[in-house]
């Protein structure tokens, strides 16, 4: 039996969302703050939803204190608008994802979770639309912290609460499409698997020395073999 904790990013790793996400965020911020800030041109890749809200509004001249005062309302407005407006046609499940999740879910001792910059309710809506949310009974989300590097210990704690197992770094794998995901693996000294299905190329991801690197998840068997590989520490 294998014993592994496999933590997946969502956007750019499991699926892609159309322009609806950016439009909804802009509308939510206009409703709450009277401006969308730099939402229309901001790079969201690998960033936390909460941090994005602060960044795009600070770019429009709002002070951090002003943003914080209405942040909870902005978060709730965004989540509700996203859940109301986003349809199945807005979501593209990436190549090999369903096969990968099916394969991993059949392995005894392998537990799947999320480590994502999404707020939980909007992130799970993205997963529910193509029918893959059930693979992920726990995770760490943007609701839990503003900095992505704070999420890995939270995810490990929740995995233990769910499974009764304390997963070691050698038993933990973090999978994502950005350097931020690779950095999260370093927080735990866990293994990272990078996939070039987001906004970063194979070459750009390779420069951050992931434990393994794939163009996509089409070669499902190879990805599963890499996940189960006992080597965990990233190159220095």
């Amino acid at each position: 039996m294998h014993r592994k904790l496999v933590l997946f990013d969502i956007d750019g790793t499991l699926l892609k969302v159309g322009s609806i996400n950016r439009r909804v965020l802009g509308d939510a911020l206009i409703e709450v703050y009277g401006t969308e800030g730099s939402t229309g041109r901001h790079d969201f890749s690998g960033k936390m939803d909460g941090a994005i809200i602060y960044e795009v509004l600070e770019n429009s001249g709002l002070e951090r204190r002003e943003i914080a005062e209405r942040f909870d309302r902005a978060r709730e407005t965004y989540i509700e608008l996203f859940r109301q407006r986003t349809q199945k046609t807005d979501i593209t499940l990436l190549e090999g994802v369903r096969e990968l999740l099916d394969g991993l879910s059949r392995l005894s001792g392998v537990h799947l979770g999320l480590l994502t910059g999404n707020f939980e309710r909007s992130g799970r809506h993205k997963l529910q639309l193509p029918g893959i949310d059930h693979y992920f009974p726990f995770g760490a989300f943007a609701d839990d912290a503003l900095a992505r590097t704070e999420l890995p210990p939270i995810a490990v704690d929740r995995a233990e609460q769910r499974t009764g197992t304390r997963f070691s770094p050698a038993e933990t794998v973090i999978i994502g499409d950005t350097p931020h995901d690779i950095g999260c693996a370093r927080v735990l000294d866990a293994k990272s698997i990078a996939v070039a299905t987001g906004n970063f190329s194979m070459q750009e991801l390779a420069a951050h020395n992931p434990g393994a690197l794939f163009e996509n998840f089409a070669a499902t068997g190879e990805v599963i073999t890499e996940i189960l590989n006992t080597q965990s520490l990233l190159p220095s």
Side-chain angles (χ1 to χ4, degrees):
M1 183 184 78
H2 304 281
R3 191 164 91 167
K4 288 286 181 179
L5 171 61
V6 188
L7 300 171
F8 282 87
D9 173 51
I10 296 179
D11 295 274
T13 300
L14 296 172
L15 52 81
K16 288 190 174 182
V17 183
S19 59
I20 185 71
N21 191 50
R22 197 176 291 268
R23 296 201 309 270
V24 166
L25 179 60
D27 288 347
L29 296 183
I30 289 171
E31 180 175 331
V32 176
Y33 295 98
T35 177
E36 68 169 21
S38 60
T39 297
R41 62 183 185 278
H42 201 74
D43 182 9
F44 292 179
S45 301
K47 295 182 178 179
M48 306 278 278
D49 282 352
I52 290 169
I53 290 174
Y54 275 94
E55 289 175 9
V56 300
L57 291 173
E58 286 177 322
N59 287 342
S60 70
L62 270 69
E63 295 184 1
R64 199 167 185 85
R65 174 188 53 78
E66 298 176 87
I67 300 168
E69 288 173 353
R70 285 176 274 176
F71 178 83
D72 288 347
R73 181 183 160 206
R75 178 187 62 208
E76 293 305 308
T77 301
Y78 162 70
I79 291 170
E80 290 309 313
L81 288 178
F82 186 84
R83 287 164 57 88
Q84 290 169 16
R85 296 184 187 177
T86 306
Q87 306 297 317
K88 190 174 181 178
T89 52
D90 295 307
I91 305 294
T92 302
L93 199 63
L94 292 172
E95 184 177 8
V97 165
R98 197 178 300 277
E99 294 80 4
L100 176 60
L101 298 179
D102 281 343
L104 290 171
S105 67
R106 290 195 294 266
L107 297 175
S108 178
V110 175
H111 298 273
L112 307 184
L114 297 167
L115 198 160
T116 173
N118 283 262
F119 295 126
E120 181 168 11
R121 284 182 291 145
S122 50
R124 287 202 177 277
H125 186 64
K126 295 176 185 180
L127 300 174
Q128 288 162 359
L129 289 171
I132 62 170
D133 183 53
H134 65 283
Y135 290 108
F136 306 103
F138 58 87
F141 305 89
D143 312 78
D144 299 312
L146 280 177
R148 199 179 186 96
T149 51
E150 295 178 45
L151 295 184
I154 295 171
V156 171
D157 287 344
R158 288 186 178 153
E160 183 177 11
Q161 293 165 11
R162 175 80 184 190
T163 67
T165 298
R166 186 69 182 181
F167 292 92
S168 69
E171 296 167 335
T172 304
V173 181
I174 295 177
I175 301 178
D177 65 293
T178 75
H180 298 284
D181 302 293
I182 299 170
C184 280
R186 285 201 171 88
V187 171
L188 299 176
D189 284 334
K191 181 173 185 174
S192 70
I193 295 180
V195 59
T197 46
N199 293 329
F200 291 86
S201 67
M202 292 279 283
Q203 183 177 7
E204 289 170 326
L205 291 170
H208 294 270
N209 296 316
L213 175 60
F214 291 92
E215 185 173 356
N216 54 47
F217 292 137
T220 305
E222 293 180 20
V223 179
I224 292 176
T225 297
E226 195 62 57
I227 289 170
L228 299 180
N229 190 314
T230 56
Q231 181 181 356
S232 64
L233 295 180
L234 289 160
S236 59

